[in-house]
Every structure is written in structure tokens, then in C-alpha cells.
């Protein structure tokens, strides 16, 4: 069983371009375990709904003033 911290390290290091063999060596894991972690993360990413890209839509324009009365 691999700890959650090591799983996060595997994913982070792989995203930064480290080789599977190097990650396995530094974390004291079997290379097959590292490949399984990466495979499971890829499957989980496919199952998650896609996040909307870019910024959120701006609110609609309103003619109503933001304040009541005279400005100071």
C-alpha cells in the first residue's frame, strides 16, 4: 500500500517530466507500482466532468445605480 503523500509526489514529479524509473528509485517503490498510480490517475481524470475553461461570464449590465443619493 502506497501512502497518499507518495502518490501525490509520484504525480507531481511525473508532471514535471521525471522518468518512472527515477521516481520509483527515489521513493523506494516498484516501477510497476508507479505505473499503476499513473494509470489510475489518468482513469480518474477521464471520469471527472470537465471544468469550464477560461474566466466566468461577467454579470449582466444593470441601469440601476450602485448607490442612492448624492455622491460625497
Amino acid at each position: 500500500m502506497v501512502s497518499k503523500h507518495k502518490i501525490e509526489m509520484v504525480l507531481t514529479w511525473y508532471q514535471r517530466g521525471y522518468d518512472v524509473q527515477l521516481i520509483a528509485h527515489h521513493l523506494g517503490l516498484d516501477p510497476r507500482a508507479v505505473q499503476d498510480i499513473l494509470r489510475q490517475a489518468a482513469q480518474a481524470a477521464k471520469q471527472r466532468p470537465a471544468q469550464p475553461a477560461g474566466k466566468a461570464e461577467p454579470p449582466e449590465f444593470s441601469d440601476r445605480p450602485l448607490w442612492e443619493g448624492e455622491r460625497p
Side-chain angles (χ1 to χ4, degrees), residues 1 7 12 15 19 21 29 39 44 50 56 60 70-72:
M1 177 96 186
I7 291 172
T12 302
Q15 288 174 350
D19 184 43
Q21 296 291 331
L29 299 172
R39 189 178 308 112
E60 292 184 23
E70 296 181 19
R71 293 176 81 179

Side-chain angles (χ1 to χ4, degrees), residues 33-54:
V34 174
Q35 291 173 342
D36 288 341
I37 292 168
L38 295 173
R39 189 178 308 112
Q40 289 174 1
Q43 288 175 352
K46 287 181 184 178
Q47 293 176 354
R48 279 187 232 129
Q51 295 288 334

Side-chain angles (χ1 to χ4, degrees), residues 1-12:
M1 177 96 186
V2 180
S3 69
K4 184 176 180 180
H5 179 68
K6 283 191 177 183
I7 291 172
E8 291 173 359
M9 291 174 69
V10 166
L11 297 174
T12 302

